[in-house]
Amino acid sequence: MLEKVSIEHITIGMYIEQIQANNTRTKMKKPGFIRRSETIENLRQKGVEFVWINSEAVDEELTVEQHQGPQTNASAEMAKSVSRTINVKDISIAEELLDISKKRIQKLLDDIYSNQPIDIEPISELGSDIVDNIFTRPEAVHWVSAIRNKSDYLMEHSLNVSIHLVNFGRYLGLDQQTLQDLAIGGIVHDVGKILVKDEVLNKPGKLTPEEFDHMKLHQVYSQPVLDSIEGLPETSRMVSLMHHEKLDGTGYPNGLQGDDLPLIGRMSCIVDIYDALTAERCYKAAMSPSEAFKIMMSLTPFHLDRDLLKKFIMCVGFYPIGSLVELSNGRIGFVWESDSSDLTTPVVKTFFSAREQAYRNIEYVCLKKRPDIKIIRAVSESKIGVDFSRFRSITA
Ligand SMILES: [Fe+2]
């Protein structure tokens, strides 16, 4: 798969197939890996503005260097470049999953809207894809949340709830079948929203009591739809039925209380709220994960299960991939790669100075190799008042 990358962001280790100068795209006579910074400088001097890289290609030579060491400055630089190349691949996988998932979920919603019978097969297939990807490429799947688009909220919220449920279920050690059922549950959990009035569903601001009552009806609307899906697993149904319940019995639709709200229901409540808080909507900015966790902790123990929420926080981490952080050297950037064995020292792609409120050259800071630099806080774009979304892309 080819990826377009601007000249400023070409790095050693990328495999270049095509270049673009003066709006003309040309195939390289000799496609290949960039191994020296001089090559990048040459391209720049020739007026190249963009290159098309093969994100699947991994430079074996660099991989060998990375594993054999010793870590000279040059080999460390190249090792960084290898992992960055792999990261391009992660984003491509995430984009592909997002694209396919949106089409499948859109089909599901269209079928509901036009009263067509709903086939469990494609939903189940999407569920399997999500579970498979979380086991084989968890980092890639986590990018889905970071590259979501606010205008496709319902579809992307369903996909994200599905991903978070599977990831959380895996963290809790739930069996494979339950994970698969959780994935399906996430996809269908809000199907009733398709029948909620648009002006209520997308209202910019707080709902009136009457509007809130109408919004709550999505749970009522969901029931006949779920009943009509032949072969829908019980666990999946529970995700949909219980994600608005509260431990003190004040939730809806059934006012389940305490032990009547089982693990699947409690997980669903946590995941649904987390995704809603951290999503950007046309009427509200996205919260950082840590801000969302703070609010969610304040909803315990009467609404959410405190011990389970603590586990969810451990599972997601305060600095998930794609989240924005400020470093102790004053730079702001996105968490770019993360190592599940140590969530506090990810690689951060920095591009902004918090002190000077100005853009700076892009740098990839590996906190594991830079113990002198720490993450001091998670930040949100809305608080800084700048839109950084273009830096989430490799083509920024
Ligand atoms: Fe809902």
Side-chain angles (χ1 to χ4, degrees):
M1 177 188 277
L2 292 187
E3 298 267 339
K4 187 181 179 185
V5 179
S6 71
I7 187 77
E8 295 89 58
H9 303 132
I10 302 177
T11 57
I12 292 171
M14 287 180 175
Y15 188 90
I16 299 198
E17 296 215 353
Q18 298 175 19
I19 55 174
Q20 180 177 316
N22 299 322
N23 289 324
T24 309
R25 190 169 160 180
T26 337
K27 280 189 181 167
M28 297 279 281
K29 276 185 199 132
K30 283 187 187 169
F33 289 103
I34 293 202
R35 297 208 170 100
R36 297 181 314 143
S37 51
E38 291 80 16
T39 314
I40 302 173
E41 197 42 48
N42 275 342
L43 290 171
R44 201 191 303 272
Q45 281 175 6
K46 282 180 185 154
V48 171
E49 296 146 333
F50 295 98
V51 298
W52 270 261
I53 62 163
N54 181 343
S55 54
E56 307 278 312
V58 175
D59 193 342
E60 295 301 332
E61 280 186 30
L62 295 186
T63 310
V64 170
E65 289 256 15
Q66 186 182 24
H67 289 107
Q68 289 181 342
Q71 287 277 307
T72 60
N73 281 347
S75 72
E77 179 54 38
M78 283 195 278
K80 260 196 309 185
S81 306
V82 171
S83 59
R84 223 172 300 154
T85 308
I86 291 167
N87 193 269
V88 177
K89 199 172 164 186
D90 281 347
I91 296 175
S92 309
I93 292 170
E95 281 172 344
E96 213 172 290
L97 181 64
L98 190 58
D99 197 43
I100 293 170
S101 308
K102 272 161 56 172
K103 282 183 189 140
R104 288 188 184 157
I105 297 173
Q106 185 63 59
K107 166 88 172 64
L108 169 73
L109 299 177
D110 289 347
D111 285 349
I112 294 166
Y113 207 69
S114 54
N115 276 324
Q116 295 293 314
I118 296 152
D119 189 1
I120 184 79
E121 210 47 50
I123 308 171
S124 193
E125 243 171 61
L126 177 53
S128 300
D129 279 1
I130 291 168
V131 175
D132 287 350
N133 275 304
I134 284 198
F135 274 87
T136 54
R137 301 302 301 265
E139 297 215 333
V141 178
H142 293 148
W143 273 107
V144 171
S145 308
I147 58 179
R148 67 194 299 173
N149 180 336
K150 63 186 167 189
S151 60
D152 289 331
Y153 181 69
L154 184 53
M155 278 184 287
E156 296 192 357
H157 172 61
S158 306
L159 176 63
N160 273 288
V161 165
S162 183
I163 289 171
H164 285 309
L165 277 174
V166 175
N167 197 37
F168 190 22
R170 185 191 179 199
Y171 180 83
L172 296 175
L174 303 184
D175 62 80
Q176 191 81 11
Q177 185 59 53
T178 307
L179 297 184
Q180 162 77 12
D181 297 351
L182 282 171
I184 296 172
I187 298 162
V188 300
H189 84 284
D190 260 346
V191 283
K193 278 197 178 159
I194 188 97
L195 301 171
V196 169
K197 289 179 196 156
D198 275 355
E199 61 266 32
V200 175
L201 195 60
N202 300 316
K203 184 182 175 185
K206 208 169 181 299
L207 299 181
T208 64
E210 295 74 32
E211 287 167 339
F212 189 57
D213 282 343
H214 177 67
M215 178 67 111
K216 280 161 119 181
L217 283 176
H218 80 274
Q219 287 295 67
V220 176
Y221 298 149
S222 286
Q223 299 318 305
V225 178
L226 298 174
D227 288 343
S228 74
I229 307 177
E230 209 177 310
L232 184 73
E234 188 49 30
T235 300
S236 317
R237 195 186 167 80
M238 283 161 76
V239 171
S240 178
L241 248 186
M242 297 178 180
H243 71 274
H244 290 297
E245 296 289 355
K246 296 179 182 176
L247 282 170
D248 64 0
T250 61
Y252 62 95
N254 293 317
L256 297 180
Q257 200 173 353
D259 291 344
D260 291 337
L261 188 58
L263 176 69
I264 300 297
R266 293 174 190 219
M267 288 170 68
S268 309
C269 297
I270 289 174
V271 163
D272 184 57
I273 293 182
Y274 175 74
D275 190 64
L277 292 176
T278 54
E280 184 185 0
R281 302 293 308 275
C282 47
Y283 54 84
K284 79 159 186 71
M287 264 181 207
S288 71
S290 48
E291 284 172 311
F293 293 147
K294 210 184 287 174
I295 288 183
M296 291 168 76
M297 281 307 281
S298 76
L299 300 178
T300 67
F302 57 92
H303 179 168
L304 301 173
D305 178 326
R306 181 178 285 249
D307 288 340
L308 197 60
L309 176 58
K310 284 183 187 163
K311 287 180 186 156
F312 180 69
I313 295 171
M314 291 299 289
C315 162
V316 173
F318 272 88
Y319 312 117
I321 284 178
S323 63
L324 198 61
V325 291
E326 182 176 339
L327 302 181
S328 54
N329 64 358
R331 290 288 195 265
I332 286 177
F334 287 117
V335 173
W336 202 247
E337 290 172 34
S338 173
D339 173 354
S340 56
S341 66
D342 183 3
L343 297 170
T344 59
T345 56
V347 174
V348 180
K349 174 184 182 177
T350 64
F351 44 79
F352 194 78
S353 163
R355 288 169 199 149
E356 286 131 54
Q357 293 288 297
Y359 288 104
R360 289 288 173 264
N361 286 339
I362 293 177
E363 270 181 69
Y364 293 82
V365 184
C366 177
L367 296 181
K368 199 167 263 178
K369 293 179 190 153
R370 292 293 305 268
D372 54 316
I373 304 177
K374 303 247 177 312
I375 293 176
I376 53 169
R377 64 176 74 94
V379 288
S380 57
E381 284 159 77
S382 56
K383 286 232 171 95
I384 304 168
V386 186
D387 178 8
F388 292 140
S389 50
R390 69 192 168 101
F391 291 101
R392 279 199 176 92
S393 161
I394 194 72
T395 55

